[in-house]
Amino acid sequence: KRQAVGREVACADALTGPQLARLVLAGISPDEVLCLGNSNPIRDADLAPVPPDPAPVYANRGLSGIDGTIGTAVGVALATGSPTTLLLGDLAFVHDAGSLVIPVGEPRPRLRMVVADDAGGSIFATLEYGQPRFAEAFERVFATPTGLDLVALAAAYGVPAKRLRNAQEVTDALSEPVAFEVLVVTVDRAGRADLNRRINAG
């Protein structure tokens, strides 16, 4: 299946979730830590090539879903003392944006948050709800795009942030030392359901 992902990533015109996950995993060194958000990010990361000496990986599990994703990563970064990268979706980011607040006098984690911004819950496009018969209600009921400027949202909490729009920009940003920052990456979800079908068929 990883070979099928590789083929699809290579021929994609726009940056996709699986491609972003591959870039993030490739940019993590063994002495760093990786945190993964629920929904598509953790599934995309599961399909990425595993390096010979992989970094430790943490993720929330169970019914909590996207609750406390950023807060968990902050705790992991502080507890391990290691540079930490969190890959998460835009809805998970908005849901836990309050965890961007680091109280006065508290240590700031070495935490880089990579937000796969596909304007909503693209995972639902791969499930029954993504079928054409639900098209009229899909965006409002299932995708639930927020319409927020995530760079501005992070900046409002005093966290440096920037938007990245292609693979080279992502690679360049990930090559910099890890700091408390937000990288919002524009990800295409228009063909997410078809992409999943091709990967699964491969």
Side-chain angles (χ1 to χ4, degrees):
K1 186 169 284 189
R2 287 193 175 94
Q3 291 179 338
V5 176
R7 290 193 299 270
E8 293 299 330
V9 165
C11 67
D13 294 326
L15 193 61
T16 63
Q19 184 180 11
L20 176 59
R22 285 182 161 229
L23 293 173
V24 169
L25 266 69
I28 303 295
S29 64
D31 61 340
E32 297 180 351
V33 172
L34 175 63
C35 291
L36 296 171
N38 279 287
S39 196
N40 272 333
I42 195 168
R43 290 168 171 80
D44 292 337
D46 188 48
L47 296 174
V50 178
D53 192 8
V57 180
Y58 294 85
N60 286 342
R61 62 188 295 265
L63 296 177
S64 60
I66 62 175
D67 291 346
T69 302
I70 296 173
T72 295
V74 168
V76 168
L78 292 174
T80 63
S82 300
T84 301
T85 296
L86 166 64
L87 173 63
L88 74 166
D90 54 308
L91 296 184
F93 179 77
V94 171
H95 191 70
D96 196 31
S99 288
L100 294 174
V101 177
I102 305 298
V104 175
E106 295 297 322
R108 294 175 73 83
R110 285 186 293 170
L111 173 63
R112 170 184 288 145
M113 290 155 277
V114 181
V115 183
D117 183 11
D118 58 8
S122 63
I123 190 171
F124 293 110
T126 68
L127 303 175
E128 178 186 359
Y129 322 109
Q131 294 177 5
R133 60 196 175 111
F134 298 119
E136 186 175 341
F138 182 81
E139 282 298 305
R140 180 171 183 266
V141 179
F142 298 108
T144 63
T146 65
L148 293 174
D149 181 341
L150 303 186
V151 172
L153 177 61
Y157 284 102
V159 181
K162 57 185 174 182
R163 180 169 288 278
L164 310 176
R165 293 181 170 81
N166 57 58
Q168 188 59 57
E169 290 181 354
V170 173
T171 299
D172 291 345
L174 293 175
S175 68
E176 297 293 328
V178 175
F180 193 50
E181 65 175 349
V182 174
L183 305 176
V184 181
V185 184
T186 302
V187 173
D188 178 40
R189 70 170 164 90
R192 183 70 208 215
D194 288 336
L195 174 62
N196 272 42
R197 280 193 287 269
R198 292 196 301 272
I199 290 173
N200 291 330

